């Protein structure tokens, strides 16, 4: 990273403010997670294994809070350094690297505790379910905070000329990850729904409803696999994004089409999933609850896929706009200036640029 990366980056104050806000949220959420996990870990009336699992999550909340506090400290230092970014370039780079290290540590904590959090939620009795659900919800929120911290720290450290390239790489990686999760979840939903749909001892209408969900899991899996295929193609195309712009836009549109299909599947099966959960007897409730939880997780995956596919499209729109502006300016320089004493200077260039941007926008839409 060069010193000029920070001199020219006008988004630095905005990125710093965002990092500060999300680090503050991390500190607050860590306190909430600390309390909720303690309510389960410290209650001797609960199962010993459950308490031990909650305790492991409880201990991790200390590290989460320290990470948030450390990031806030780095932000405070950076606010002073950016007052003279040219002379403080090395120190700025060092502070950004320190924040990135903290984020890596947060990611490791989240990944290593994810199974424990879900285990706690699944096995906590009704008497303590309020704490388990809060723990689960806020733990996922920490993951979202981590995503935001990565985004704005990248903005802080990246050169303007490479922002769209980096955004593309990050968005592709996220899409690939969530599409892979969709494939895995589809298999889980497939098995759980079959446990109800194929059992002849159960109510016939219940089985038929479960079967309709069961059939939809095939389509979910295919969507995930198709998206992974498009990501693989895009990884090659982005090696020369300027010359491959049309193909890239086509692949992005194909992913958007897959996401639309996923949304339709989720919406059309939501009532069926809730019906199955409500009407399945205790003998099969384990499968019904798993079906319900994982089905909602597919919805969350869809939300993430929309977000990062939009980022992909935005990066291409930015590149197209920049190219259009350059082309318009070059064309204008080659033309003879029209001499009219009362014409505002540069107005013709402005209209040409706006026209090209409008065409680019309509094409993108």
């Amino acid at each position: 990273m060069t010193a000029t990366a920070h001199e020219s980056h006008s988004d630095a104050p905005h990125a710093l403010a965002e990092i500060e806000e999300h680090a503050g949220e991390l500190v607050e959420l860590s306190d909430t997670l600390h309390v909720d996990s303690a309510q389960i870990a410290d209650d001797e009336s609960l199962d010993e294994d459950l308490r031990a699992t909650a305790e492991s999550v409880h201990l991790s909340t200390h590290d989460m809070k320290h990470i948030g506090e450390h990031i806030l400290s780095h932000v405070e230092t950076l606010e002073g350094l950016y007052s003279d970014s040219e002379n403080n370039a090395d120190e700025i780079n060092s502070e950004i690297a320190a924040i990135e290290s903290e984020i890596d540590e947060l990611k490791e904590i989240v990944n290593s505790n994810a199974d424990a959090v879900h285990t706690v939620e699944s096995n906590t009795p009704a008497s303590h379910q309020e704490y388990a659900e809060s723990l689960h919800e806020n733990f996922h929120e920490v993951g979202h905070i981590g995503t935001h911290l990565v985004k704005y720290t990248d903005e802080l450290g990246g050169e303007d000329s490479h922002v769209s390239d980096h955004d593309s790489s990050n968005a592709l990686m996220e899409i690939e990850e969530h599409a892979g999760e969709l494939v895995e979840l589809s298999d889980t939903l497939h098995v759980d729904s079959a446990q109800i749909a194929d059992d002849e001892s159960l109510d016939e209408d219940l089985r038929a409803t479960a079967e309709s969900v069961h059939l939809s899991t095939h389509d979910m899996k295919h969507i995930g696999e198709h998206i992974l295929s498009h990501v693989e193609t895009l990884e090659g195309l982005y090696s020369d994004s300027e010359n491959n712009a049309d193909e890239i836009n086509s692949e992005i549109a194909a992913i958007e089409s897959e996401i639309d299909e996923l949304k339709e599947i989720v919406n059309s099966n939501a009532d069926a999933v809730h019906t199955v959960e409500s009407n399945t007897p205790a003998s099969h409730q384990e499968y019904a609850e798993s079906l319900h939880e994982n089905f909602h997780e597919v919805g969350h995956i869809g939300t993430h896929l929309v977000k990062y596919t939009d980022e992909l499209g935005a990066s291409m729109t930015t590149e197209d706009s920049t190219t259009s502006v350059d082309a318009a300016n070059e064309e204008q320089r080659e033309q003879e200036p029209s001499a009219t004493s009362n014409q505002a200077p540069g107005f013709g260039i402005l209209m040409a640029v706006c026209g090209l941007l409008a065409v680019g926008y309509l094409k993108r839409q």
Side-chain angles (χ1 to χ4, degrees):
M1 195 188 315
T2 62
T4 53
H6 298 292
E7 292 174 42
S8 61
H9 207 300
S10 59
D11 286 341
H14 170 70
L16 270 181
E18 291 287 348
I19 293 169
E20 184 176 28
E21 178 181 345
H22 291 298
E25 291 173 354
L26 176 59
V27 171
E28 292 177 5
L29 270 182
S30 299
D31 286 337
T32 304
L33 289 165
H34 185 80
V35 171
D36 288 333
S37 55
Q39 293 289 341
I40 300 170
D42 295 344
D43 193 322
E44 295 181 1
S45 68
L46 298 176
D47 176 79
E48 188 175 347
D49 289 339
L50 173 64
R51 290 178 60 207
T53 305
E55 178 66 19
S56 68
V57 178
H58 180 73
L59 293 174
S60 74
T61 63
H62 296 282
D63 295 326
M64 289 184 193
K65 184 172 184 176
H66 293 157
I67 289 170
E69 291 170 338
H70 293 165
I71 292 174
L72 287 173
S73 176
H74 291 304
V75 167
E76 186 177 359
T77 302
L78 280 167
E79 287 172 341
L81 292 172
Y82 269 112
S83 62
D84 187 359
S85 58
E86 184 174 356
N87 290 323
N88 295 328
D90 289 341
E91 293 90 337
I92 288 173
N93 287 334
S94 177
E95 290 295 320
I96 292 173
I99 293 176
E100 290 171 338
S101 178
E102 296 288 347
I103 294 171
D104 287 340
E105 187 178 345
L106 178 63
K107 181 179 178 181
E108 177 60 31
I109 292 172
V110 169
N111 289 340
S112 61
N113 283 276
D115 288 343
V117 169
H118 288 103
T119 298
V120 169
E121 188 191 32
S122 301
N123 296 295
T124 297
S127 60
H128 291 63
Q129 190 58 223
E130 174 189 354
Y131 306 117
E133 290 178 357
S134 175
L135 185 72
H136 177 255
E137 180 180 346
N138 287 313
F139 184 83
H140 278 292
E141 189 60 33
V142 168
H144 296 152
I145 287 173
T147 302
H148 291 302
L149 287 171
V150 168
K151 175 184 176 182
Y152 292 109
T153 304
D154 286 345
E155 284 189 13
L156 206 57
E159 292 183 84
D160 288 341
S161 59
H162 299 301
V163 166
S164 62
D165 289 341
H166 178 83
D167 285 349
S168 301
S169 175
N170 180 61
L172 270 180
M173 182 176 65
E174 292 285 350
I175 292 169
E176 183 176 29
E177 179 182 343
H178 291 298
E181 291 173 357
L182 176 59
V183 171
E184 292 177 8
L185 271 181
S186 299
D187 285 337
T188 304
L189 290 165
H190 184 80
V191 172
D192 287 334
S193 55
Q195 293 289 341
I196 299 170
D198 295 345
D199 193 323
E200 295 182 1
S201 69
L202 297 177
D203 176 79
E204 187 175 348
D205 290 339
L206 173 65
R207 291 177 60 206
T209 305
E211 178 65 20
S212 68
V213 178
H214 180 74
L215 293 174
S216 74
T217 64
H218 296 283
D219 295 327
M220 288 184 193
K221 184 171 184 177
H222 292 157
I223 288 170
E225 292 170 337
H226 294 166
I227 292 175
L228 287 173
S229 176
H230 291 303
V231 167
E232 186 177 359
T233 302
L234 281 167
E235 286 171 344
L237 292 172
Y238 269 109
S239 61
D240 186 1
S241 58
E242 186 175 348
N243 289 324
N244 295 330
D246 289 340
E247 293 90 335
I248 289 173
N249 286 330
S250 177
E251 290 294 321
I252 293 173
I255 293 177
E256 290 171 337
S257 177
E258 296 289 348
I259 294 172
D260 286 342
E261 186 178 346
L262 178 64
K263 181 180 179 181
E264 177 59 32
I265 291 171
V266 170
N267 288 341
S268 61
N269 283 275
D271 288 343
V273 168
H274 288 103
T275 297
V276 168
E277 188 191 32
S278 301
N279 296 290
T280 297
S283 59
H284 291 65
Q285 189 59 221
E286 173 189 355
Y287 306 117
E289 289 178 358
S290 175
L291 185 72
H292 176 255
E293 179 180 347
N294 288 313
F295 185 82
H296 277 293
E297 191 59 34
V298 168
H300 295 153
I301 287 173
T303 301
H304 290 302
L305 287 172
V306 168
K307 173 185 175 183
Y308 291 109
T309 304
D310 285 347
E311 285 190 12
L312 266 191
S315 71
M316 287 306 296
T317 303
T318 301
E319 290 180 11
D320 290 344
S321 299
T322 303
T323 303
S324 299
V325 171
D326 291 342
N329 287 339
E330 182 62 28
E331 181 181 350
Q332 186 65 24
R333 282 193 294 269
E334 292 173 359
Q335 293 175 352
E336 286 292 328
S338 59
T340 347
S341 56
N342 18 353
Q343 186 177 20
F347 184 73
I349 294 178
L350 178 61
M351 291 303 294
V353 171
C354 289
L356 286 167
L357 287 174
V359 171
Y361 174 78
L362 290 172
K363 179 183 178 184
R364 179 73 196 94
Q365 290 298 306

